[in-house]
Amino acid sequence: MIQFLAPILVLAEEAVVEESSGIDLLLPESSELIAGIIAFSIIFFFVWKWVIPAADKTLAARQEAITGQLTQAETTKQEAASLLDDYKKQLAQAKSEANTIVENAREAGDALRTDMVGKAEADAESIRVKARSDAAAERDRAATQIKDEVAALSLELAQKVVAGTVDESAQQALVDRYIDDVGNLEA
Amino acid sequence: MDVLILASESCDPATEIICAPENVIELFEFTEPLFSIGPFDFTRTVVLTFLAMFIVLALLFMGFRKTRVVPTKFGVAMESVVSFVRDDVAKGTIGPDGSKYSPYLLSIFMFILVANLFELTPGINFPLTSRMAIPLMLAVVTWLIFVIVGFAKNGLHYVLDIAWPKSVPLALRWLVGLIELVSVFVLRPITLAVRLFANLVAGHLMLTLLLGSGWIFFAAVGDIGVRSVIGLPWFAFGLLIFVFEFVVAVLQAYIFTLLSAVYIQTSVHPEH
Protein backbone atom coordinates (compact mmCIF):
# COMPACT_ATOMS: atom_id res chain seq x y z
CA MET A 1 0.00 0.00 0.00
CA ILE A 2 2.84 2.32 0.87
CA GLN A 3 4.19 1.70 -2.59
CA PHE A 4 1.02 3.06 -4.16
CA LEU A 5 1.14 6.11 -1.93
CA ALA A 6 4.77 6.74 -2.77
CA PRO A 7 4.15 8.57 -6.06
CA ILE A 8 1.80 10.96 -4.31
CA LEU A 9 4.49 11.68 -1.76
CA VAL A 10 7.00 12.14 -4.56
CA LEU A 11 4.61 14.57 -6.27
CA ALA A 12 4.13 16.45 -3.02
CA GLU A 13 7.86 16.74 -2.58
CA GLU A 14 8.17 17.90 -6.17
CA ALA A 15 5.54 20.53 -5.55
CA VAL A 16 7.43 21.85 -2.53
CA VAL A 17 10.71 21.84 -4.43
CA GLU A 18 9.17 23.57 -7.45
CA GLU A 19 7.24 26.17 -5.50
CA SER A 20 9.89 28.79 -5.98
CA SER A 21 10.00 28.38 -9.77
CA GLY A 22 6.36 27.31 -10.25
CA ILE A 23 5.35 30.91 -10.88
CA ASP A 24 6.92 30.53 -14.31
CA LEU A 25 4.14 28.13 -15.16
CA LEU A 26 1.51 30.81 -14.37
CA LEU A 27 3.11 33.55 -16.45
CA PRO A 28 2.15 33.50 -20.13
CA GLU A 29 4.89 33.39 -22.73
CA SER A 30 4.63 36.39 -25.01
CA SER A 31 5.13 34.32 -28.18
CA GLU A 32 2.37 31.92 -27.10
CA LEU A 33 0.14 34.84 -26.23
CA ILE A 34 0.65 36.44 -29.66
CA ALA A 35 0.09 33.10 -31.41
CA GLY A 36 -3.03 32.53 -29.34
CA ILE A 37 -4.45 35.97 -30.13
CA ILE A 38 -3.78 35.53 -33.87
CA ALA A 39 -5.16 31.98 -33.96
CA PHE A 40 -8.25 32.85 -31.95
CA SER A 41 -8.92 36.00 -33.98
CA ILE A 42 -8.83 33.98 -37.20
CA ILE A 43 -11.15 31.36 -35.73
CA PHE A 44 -13.55 34.02 -34.45
CA PHE A 45 -13.57 35.87 -37.77
CA PHE A 46 -14.19 32.61 -39.66
CA VAL A 47 -17.00 31.57 -37.32
CA TRP A 48 -18.57 35.03 -37.33
CA LYS A 49 -18.44 35.61 -41.07
CA TRP A 50 -18.86 32.10 -42.48
CA VAL A 51 -19.84 29.34 -40.04
CA ILE A 52 -22.85 30.94 -38.38
CA PRO A 53 -24.32 32.24 -41.69
CA ALA A 54 -23.67 28.82 -43.28
CA ALA A 55 -25.37 27.09 -40.35
CA ASP A 56 -28.30 29.51 -40.59
CA LYS A 57 -28.52 28.90 -44.34
CA THR A 58 -28.47 25.13 -43.86
CA LEU A 59 -31.13 25.24 -41.17
CA ALA A 60 -33.24 27.66 -43.23
CA ALA A 61 -32.98 25.40 -46.30
CA ARG A 62 -33.94 22.40 -44.20
CA GLN A 63 -36.82 24.27 -42.60
CA GLU A 64 -37.99 25.40 -46.02
CA ALA A 65 -37.77 21.86 -47.40
CA ILE A 66 -39.66 20.43 -44.45
CA THR A 67 -42.27 23.20 -44.61
CA GLY A 68 -42.62 22.64 -48.37
CA GLN A 69 -43.06 18.91 -47.89
CA LEU A 70 -45.60 19.47 -45.16
CA THR A 71 -47.49 21.97 -47.30
CA GLN A 72 -47.40 19.58 -50.24
CA ALA A 73 -48.61 16.76 -48.02
CA GLU A 74 -51.40 18.99 -46.74
CA THR A 75 -52.38 19.95 -50.30
CA THR A 76 -52.34 16.31 -51.38
CA LYS A 77 -54.42 15.41 -48.36
CA GLN A 78 -56.93 18.13 -49.19
CA GLU A 79 -57.03 17.01 -52.82
CA ALA A 80 -57.60 13.43 -51.70
CA ALA A 81 -60.37 14.56 -49.36
CA SER A 82 -61.91 16.62 -52.16
CA LEU A 83 -61.73 13.64 -54.53
CA LEU A 84 -63.28 11.42 -51.89
CA ASP A 85 -66.10 13.92 -51.47
CA ASP A 86 -66.59 14.03 -55.24
CA TYR A 87 -66.67 10.25 -55.43
CA LYS A 88 -69.10 10.08 -52.56
CA LYS A 89 -71.33 12.67 -54.21
CA GLN A 90 -71.13 10.87 -57.53
CA LEU A 91 -71.92 7.58 -55.83
CA ALA A 92 -74.87 9.12 -54.01
CA GLN A 93 -76.05 10.72 -57.24
CA ALA A 94 -75.72 7.42 -59.10
CA LYS A 95 -77.68 5.65 -56.37
CA SER A 96 -80.34 8.34 -56.50
CA GLU A 97 -80.53 8.10 -60.28
CA ALA A 98 -80.75 4.31 -60.10
CA ASN A 99 -83.53 4.60 -57.54
CA THR A 100 -85.35 7.08 -59.76
CA ILE A 101 -84.95 4.82 -62.75
CA VAL A 102 -86.20 1.81 -60.80
CA GLU A 103 -89.07 3.88 -59.42
CA ASN A 104 -89.95 5.18 -62.84
CA ALA A 105 -89.78 1.69 -64.26
CA ARG A 106 -91.98 0.43 -61.49
CA GLU A 107 -94.45 3.24 -62.05
CA ALA A 108 -94.34 2.63 -65.81
CA GLY A 109 -94.90 -1.09 -65.23
CA ASP A 110 -97.76 -0.39 -62.87
CA ALA A 111 -99.27 2.06 -65.36
CA LEU A 112 -98.83 -0.42 -68.19
CA ARG A 113 -100.34 -3.21 -66.14
CA THR A 114 -103.24 -0.98 -65.07
CA ASP A 115 -103.69 0.09 -68.64
CA MET A 116 -103.59 -3.46 -69.96
CA VAL A 117 -105.91 -4.72 -67.26
CA GLY A 118 -108.28 -1.86 -67.98
CA LYS A 119 -108.10 -2.51 -71.66
CA ALA A 120 -108.61 -6.22 -71.16
CA GLU A 121 -111.52 -5.54 -68.88
CA ALA A 122 -112.94 -3.14 -71.46
CA ASP A 123 -112.46 -5.71 -74.20
CA ALA A 124 -114.06 -8.37 -72.10
CA GLU A 125 -116.92 -6.07 -71.27
CA SER A 126 -117.24 -5.21 -74.91
CA ILE A 127 -117.18 -8.87 -75.86
CA ARG A 128 -119.62 -9.62 -73.11
CA VAL A 129 -121.92 -6.82 -74.20
CA LYS A 130 -121.67 -7.88 -77.80
CA ALA A 131 -122.33 -11.51 -76.88
CA ARG A 132 -125.24 -10.46 -74.80
CA SER A 133 -126.47 -8.32 -77.63
CA ASP A 134 -125.94 -11.10 -80.17
CA ALA A 135 -127.71 -13.56 -77.94
CA ALA A 136 -130.62 -11.16 -77.50
CA ALA A 137 -130.75 -10.56 -81.23
CA GLU A 138 -130.60 -14.26 -81.90
CA ARG A 139 -133.26 -14.87 -79.34
CA ASP A 140 -135.39 -12.16 -80.85
CA ARG A 141 -134.75 -13.52 -84.28
CA ALA A 142 -135.60 -17.07 -83.09
CA ALA A 143 -138.67 -15.82 -81.35
CA THR A 144 -139.69 -13.99 -84.45
CA GLN A 145 -139.01 -17.07 -86.51
CA ILE A 146 -140.98 -19.27 -84.09
CA LYS A 147 -143.69 -16.72 -84.13
CA ASP A 148 -143.70 -16.84 -87.91
CA GLU A 149 -143.57 -20.64 -87.92
CA VAL A 150 -146.33 -20.89 -85.37
CA ALA A 151 -148.30 -18.41 -87.36
CA ALA A 152 -147.67 -20.39 -90.59
CA LEU A 153 -148.49 -23.68 -88.89
CA SER A 154 -151.50 -22.23 -87.24
CA LEU A 155 -152.57 -20.86 -90.55
CA GLU A 156 -151.91 -24.21 -92.31
CA LEU A 157 -153.75 -26.02 -89.55
CA ALA A 158 -156.61 -23.69 -89.69
CA GLN A 159 -156.81 -24.09 -93.50
CA LYS A 160 -156.80 -27.89 -93.20
CA VAL A 161 -159.38 -27.77 -90.39
CA VAL A 162 -161.54 -25.59 -92.56
CA ALA A 163 -161.03 -27.96 -95.54
CA GLY A 164 -161.72 -30.97 -93.36
CA THR A 165 -158.64 -32.67 -94.51
CA VAL A 166 -157.16 -33.03 -91.21
CA ASP A 167 -157.34 -36.51 -89.89
CA GLU A 168 -155.87 -37.78 -86.72
CA SER A 169 -152.56 -38.86 -88.25
CA ALA A 170 -152.13 -35.63 -90.25
CA GLN A 171 -152.90 -33.58 -87.11
CA GLN A 172 -150.34 -35.66 -85.23
CA ALA A 173 -147.78 -35.04 -88.00
CA LEU A 174 -148.36 -31.30 -87.84
CA VAL A 175 -147.97 -31.30 -84.08
CA ASP A 176 -144.71 -33.32 -84.36
CA ARG A 177 -143.41 -31.00 -87.05
CA TYR A 178 -144.23 -28.01 -84.88
CA ILE A 179 -142.41 -29.56 -81.89
CA ASP A 180 -139.38 -30.32 -84.11
CA ASP A 181 -139.27 -26.76 -85.37
CA VAL A 182 -139.44 -25.42 -81.86
CA GLY A 183 -136.78 -27.97 -80.82
CA ASN A 184 -134.53 -26.86 -83.68
CA LEU A 185 -134.95 -23.21 -82.67
CA GLU A 186 -134.01 -23.90 -79.09
CA ALA A 187 -130.90 -25.85 -80.18
CA MET B 1 7.84 10.86 -26.59
CA ASP B 2 9.74 14.00 -25.56
CA VAL B 3 7.80 13.91 -22.35
CA LEU B 4 8.75 10.32 -21.70
CA ILE B 5 12.38 11.13 -22.37
CA LEU B 6 12.21 14.08 -20.00
CA ALA B 7 10.62 11.94 -17.35
CA SER B 8 13.11 9.15 -17.77
CA GLU B 9 16.26 11.22 -17.88
CA SER B 10 16.72 11.19 -14.15
CA CYS B 11 14.84 7.98 -13.48
CA ASP B 12 16.43 4.82 -12.23
CA PRO B 13 13.82 2.02 -12.34
CA ALA B 14 16.09 -0.14 -10.24
CA THR B 15 15.74 2.12 -7.21
CA GLU B 16 12.78 4.43 -7.78
CA ILE B 17 9.10 3.58 -7.59
CA ILE B 18 7.90 6.20 -10.10
CA CYS B 19 9.67 8.26 -12.71
CA ALA B 20 9.22 12.00 -12.43
CA PRO B 21 11.38 14.74 -13.91
CA GLU B 22 13.50 16.88 -11.63
CA ASN B 23 11.42 19.90 -12.53
CA VAL B 24 7.78 19.33 -13.62
CA ILE B 25 7.84 22.61 -15.52
CA GLU B 26 9.94 20.76 -18.06
CA LEU B 27 6.77 18.87 -18.97
CA PHE B 28 5.09 22.12 -20.07
CA GLU B 29 7.77 24.40 -21.41
CA PHE B 30 9.12 24.10 -24.91
CA THR B 31 11.40 27.08 -25.26
CA GLU B 32 13.52 25.79 -28.12
CA PRO B 33 12.21 27.30 -31.38
CA LEU B 34 11.49 24.78 -34.12
CA PHE B 35 11.94 27.60 -36.64
CA SER B 36 11.76 31.37 -36.76
CA ILE B 37 10.13 33.93 -39.02
CA GLY B 38 11.86 37.24 -38.41
CA PRO B 39 11.92 37.92 -34.70
CA PHE B 40 9.08 35.50 -34.03
CA ASP B 41 10.13 32.08 -32.73
CA PHE B 42 7.87 29.14 -33.55
CA THR B 43 8.23 26.89 -30.52
CA ARG B 44 6.37 23.60 -30.29
CA THR B 45 3.58 25.31 -28.34
CA VAL B 46 3.23 28.06 -30.95
CA VAL B 47 3.10 25.50 -33.77
CA LEU B 48 0.48 23.51 -31.87
CA THR B 49 -1.57 26.69 -31.37
CA PHE B 50 -1.74 27.23 -35.12
CA LEU B 51 -2.36 23.52 -35.66
CA ALA B 52 -5.35 23.77 -33.30
CA MET B 53 -6.57 26.75 -35.28
CA PHE B 54 -6.32 24.84 -38.57
CA ILE B 55 -8.10 21.83 -37.10
CA VAL B 56 -10.97 24.01 -35.84
CA LEU B 57 -11.24 25.76 -39.21
CA ALA B 58 -11.10 22.44 -41.07
CA LEU B 59 -13.75 20.82 -38.86
CA LEU B 60 -16.13 23.75 -39.28
CA PHE B 61 -15.42 24.03 -42.99
CA MET B 62 -16.04 20.32 -43.56
CA GLY B 63 -19.21 20.49 -41.50
CA PHE B 64 -20.77 23.43 -43.35
CA ARG B 65 -19.16 23.57 -46.79
CA LYS B 66 -22.37 22.46 -48.50
CA THR B 67 -25.94 23.29 -47.72
CA ARG B 68 -27.43 19.86 -47.25
CA VAL B 69 -31.08 19.22 -46.60
CA VAL B 70 -30.14 15.69 -45.53
CA PRO B 71 -26.84 16.08 -43.66
CA THR B 72 -23.99 13.59 -43.36
CA LYS B 73 -23.12 12.07 -39.99
CA PHE B 74 -20.21 14.45 -39.64
CA GLY B 75 -22.49 17.34 -40.65
CA VAL B 76 -24.98 16.29 -37.97
CA ALA B 77 -22.20 16.26 -35.37
CA MET B 78 -21.00 19.74 -36.33
CA GLU B 79 -24.54 21.10 -36.52
CA SER B 80 -25.19 19.62 -33.08
CA VAL B 81 -22.16 21.45 -31.68
CA VAL B 82 -23.23 24.73 -33.26
CA SER B 83 -26.85 24.43 -32.19
CA PHE B 84 -25.78 23.32 -28.70
CA VAL B 85 -23.57 26.40 -28.23
CA ARG B 86 -26.02 28.79 -29.87
CA ASP B 87 -29.33 27.51 -28.52
CA ASP B 88 -28.44 25.90 -25.19
CA VAL B 89 -25.46 27.95 -24.06
CA ALA B 90 -25.91 31.37 -25.72
CA LYS B 91 -29.70 31.74 -25.94
CA GLY B 92 -30.37 29.46 -22.96
CA THR B 93 -28.15 31.49 -20.67
CA ILE B 94 -28.21 35.03 -22.05
CA GLY B 95 -31.71 35.01 -23.51
CA PRO B 96 -32.96 36.00 -26.97
CA ASP B 97 -30.04 38.45 -27.28
CA GLY B 98 -27.67 35.54 -26.83
CA SER B 99 -27.49 34.64 -30.50
CA LYS B 100 -25.32 37.67 -31.24
CA TYR B 101 -22.69 36.30 -28.83
CA SER B 102 -22.82 32.81 -30.32
CA PRO B 103 -19.88 33.37 -32.75
CA TYR B 104 -17.62 34.20 -29.83
CA LEU B 105 -18.91 31.38 -27.64
CA LEU B 106 -18.65 28.85 -30.47
CA SER B 107 -15.10 30.02 -31.20
CA ILE B 108 -13.91 29.60 -27.62
CA PHE B 109 -15.67 26.25 -27.25
CA MET B 110 -14.12 24.80 -30.38
CA PHE B 111 -10.68 26.26 -29.75
CA ILE B 112 -10.54 25.09 -26.13
CA LEU B 113 -11.96 21.67 -27.02
CA VAL B 114 -9.33 21.00 -29.67
CA ALA B 115 -6.56 22.48 -27.49
CA ASN B 116 -7.66 20.27 -24.57
CA LEU B 117 -7.93 17.15 -26.70
CA PHE B 118 -4.32 17.59 -27.79
CA GLU B 119 -3.59 16.10 -24.36
CA LEU B 120 -4.95 12.77 -25.60
CA THR B 121 -3.88 13.00 -29.24
CA PRO B 122 -1.19 10.45 -30.08
CA GLY B 123 1.97 12.16 -31.25
CA ILE B 124 1.08 15.43 -29.56
CA ASN B 125 0.12 14.47 -25.98
CA PHE B 126 0.24 18.03 -24.80
CA PRO B 127 -2.77 20.20 -23.91
CA LEU B 128 -2.30 23.74 -25.18
CA THR B 129 -4.50 25.00 -22.38
CA SER B 130 -1.95 23.80 -19.84
CA ARG B 131 0.02 26.88 -20.92
CA MET B 132 -1.33 29.97 -19.22
CA ALA B 133 -1.25 32.08 -22.39
CA ILE B 134 -4.33 30.53 -24.03
CA PRO B 135 -6.70 30.40 -20.99
CA LEU B 136 -5.58 33.86 -19.86
CA MET B 137 -6.02 35.36 -23.31
CA LEU B 138 -9.53 33.89 -23.63
CA ALA B 139 -10.46 34.91 -20.08
CA VAL B 140 -9.33 38.47 -20.77
CA VAL B 141 -11.41 38.57 -23.98
CA THR B 142 -14.44 37.34 -22.03
CA TRP B 143 -13.71 39.94 -19.33
CA LEU B 144 -13.47 42.70 -21.94
CA ILE B 145 -16.74 41.62 -23.55
CA PHE B 146 -18.79 41.48 -20.38
CA VAL B 147 -17.37 44.75 -19.03
CA ILE B 148 -17.92 46.61 -22.31
CA VAL B 149 -21.42 45.13 -22.68
CA GLY B 150 -22.17 46.04 -19.06
CA PHE B 151 -21.25 49.66 -19.57
CA ALA B 152 -22.89 49.84 -23.02
CA LYS B 153 -26.19 48.45 -21.75
CA ASN B 154 -26.33 50.10 -18.34
CA GLY B 155 -23.91 53.00 -18.37
CA LEU B 156 -22.41 53.89 -15.00
CA HIS B 157 -25.23 52.05 -13.26
CA TYR B 158 -23.42 48.86 -14.19
CA VAL B 159 -20.57 49.49 -11.78
CA LEU B 160 -22.66 51.47 -9.28
CA ASP B 161 -25.21 48.66 -8.91
CA ILE B 162 -22.39 46.24 -8.28
CA ALA B 163 -20.59 48.50 -5.79
CA TRP B 164 -23.78 49.52 -3.96
CA PRO B 165 -26.23 46.58 -4.16
CA LYS B 166 -29.63 47.91 -3.06
CA SER B 167 -31.04 44.48 -2.23
CA VAL B 168 -28.50 44.05 0.59
CA PRO B 169 -29.14 45.54 4.09
CA LEU B 170 -27.54 48.96 4.45
CA ALA B 171 -25.06 47.91 7.12
CA LEU B 172 -23.56 45.22 4.90
CA ARG B 173 -23.94 47.02 1.59
CA TRP B 174 -20.44 48.49 1.42
CA LEU B 175 -18.84 45.16 2.33
CA VAL B 176 -20.85 43.13 -0.16
CA GLY B 177 -20.27 45.84 -2.77
CA LEU B 178 -16.53 45.65 -2.24
CA ILE B 179 -16.55 41.87 -2.47
CA GLU B 180 -18.67 42.03 -5.62
CA LEU B 181 -16.41 44.62 -7.23
CA VAL B 182 -13.34 42.49 -6.64
CA SER B 183 -15.21 39.34 -7.64
CA VAL B 184 -16.57 40.72 -10.92
CA PHE B 185 -13.66 42.79 -12.15
CA VAL B 186 -10.64 40.92 -10.74
CA LEU B 187 -11.46 37.38 -9.71
CA ARG B 188 -13.73 36.37 -12.60
CA PRO B 189 -11.04 36.43 -15.31
CA ILE B 190 -8.46 34.89 -13.01
CA THR B 191 -10.69 32.03 -11.85
CA LEU B 192 -11.86 31.46 -15.40
CA ALA B 193 -8.31 31.13 -16.66
CA VAL B 194 -6.89 29.22 -13.70
CA ARG B 195 -9.75 26.69 -13.62
CA LEU B 196 -9.05 25.61 -17.17
CA PHE B 197 -5.30 25.85 -16.86
CA ALA B 198 -5.05 23.94 -13.55
CA ASN B 199 -7.32 21.11 -14.71
CA LEU B 200 -5.26 20.51 -17.80
CA VAL B 201 -1.94 20.84 -15.96
CA ALA B 202 -3.07 18.27 -13.42
CA GLY B 203 -4.33 15.91 -16.11
CA HIS B 204 -1.19 16.19 -18.17
CA LEU B 205 0.96 15.66 -15.10
CA MET B 206 -0.92 12.55 -14.06
CA LEU B 207 -0.92 11.03 -17.51
CA THR B 208 2.76 11.71 -18.01
CA LEU B 209 3.84 10.31 -14.67
CA LEU B 210 1.60 7.24 -14.79
CA LEU B 211 1.93 6.21 -18.44
CA GLY B 212 5.58 7.34 -18.56
CA SER B 213 6.51 5.39 -15.47
CA GLY B 214 4.63 2.33 -16.69
CA TRP B 215 6.36 2.48 -20.02
CA ILE B 216 9.83 3.02 -18.50
CA PHE B 217 9.43 0.09 -16.10
CA PHE B 218 8.26 -2.18 -18.95
CA ALA B 219 11.16 -1.02 -21.14
CA ALA B 220 13.68 -1.73 -18.40
CA VAL B 221 12.63 -5.38 -17.99
CA GLY B 222 16.06 -6.54 -19.21
CA ASP B 223 17.83 -4.62 -16.45
CA ILE B 224 15.51 -4.87 -13.51
CA GLY B 225 13.80 -8.23 -14.18
CA VAL B 226 10.63 -8.93 -12.22
CA ARG B 227 10.68 -5.43 -10.73
CA SER B 228 9.35 -4.17 -14.07
CA VAL B 229 5.92 -5.45 -12.99
CA ILE B 230 5.69 -2.24 -10.95
CA GLY B 231 4.89 -0.55 -14.26
CA LEU B 232 1.66 -2.53 -14.59
CA PRO B 233 -0.49 -0.66 -12.02
CA TRP B 234 0.97 2.66 -13.20
CA PHE B 235 0.06 1.88 -16.78
CA ALA B 236 -3.42 0.54 -15.93
CA PHE B 237 -4.16 3.55 -13.74
CA GLY B 238 -2.82 5.80 -16.50
CA LEU B 239 -5.26 4.28 -18.99
CA LEU B 240 -8.14 4.91 -16.60
CA ILE B 241 -7.01 8.51 -16.19
CA PHE B 242 -6.77 8.72 -19.99
CA VAL B 243 -10.52 8.04 -20.28
CA PHE B 244 -11.20 10.39 -17.37
CA GLU B 245 -9.17 13.12 -19.05
CA PHE B 246 -11.32 12.90 -22.16
CA VAL B 247 -14.33 13.80 -20.02
CA VAL B 248 -12.33 16.57 -18.35
CA ALA B 249 -11.25 18.00 -21.71
CA VAL B 250 -14.84 18.24 -22.99
CA LEU B 251 -16.22 19.36 -19.64
CA GLN B 252 -13.69 22.16 -19.17
CA ALA B 253 -14.37 23.51 -22.66
CA TYR B 254 -18.07 23.50 -21.81
CA ILE B 255 -17.55 25.11 -18.40
CA PHE B 256 -15.37 27.90 -19.81
CA THR B 257 -17.95 28.61 -22.53
CA LEU B 258 -20.90 28.43 -20.14
CA LEU B 259 -19.28 30.72 -17.57
CA SER B 260 -18.40 33.21 -20.31
CA ALA B 261 -22.08 33.19 -21.29
CA VAL B 262 -23.14 33.59 -17.65
CA TYR B 263 -20.79 36.54 -17.16
CA ILE B 264 -22.09 38.19 -20.32
CA GLN B 265 -25.64 37.55 -19.15
CA THR B 266 -24.97 39.35 -15.87
CA SER B 267 -23.91 42.39 -17.90
CA VAL B 268 -26.84 42.21 -20.34
CA HIS B 269 -29.40 41.71 -17.56
CA PRO B 270 -27.73 42.90 -14.33
CA GLU B 271 -31.07 42.82 -12.48
CA HIS B 272 -30.91 39.02 -12.53
Side-chain angles (χ1 to χ4, degrees), chain B residues 105-125:
Chain B
L105 296 172
L106 180 63
S107 302
I108 55 174
F109 180 75
M110 290 297 291
F111 191 39
I112 294 173
L113 183 66
V114 172
N116 286 355
L117 289 174
F118 273 180
E119 180 187 13
L120 310 172
T121 308
I124 297 177
N125 297 104

Side-chain angles (χ1 to χ4, degrees), chain A residues 1-11, chain B residues 11-20 209-210 212-214 216-217 224 227-235:
Chain A
M1 187 64 187
I2 194 72
Q3 283 190 337
F4 285 96
L5 289 176
I8 298 166
L9 297 174
V10 170
L11 281 177
Chain B
C11 180
D12 180 8
T15 56
E16 292 182 47
I17 197 75
I18 190 165
C19 295
L209 293 181
L210 294 170
S213 295
I216 289 163
F217 275 98
I224 58 174
R227 189 179 158 79
S228 66
V229 82
I230 291 170
L232 197 61
W234 295 149
F235 202 78

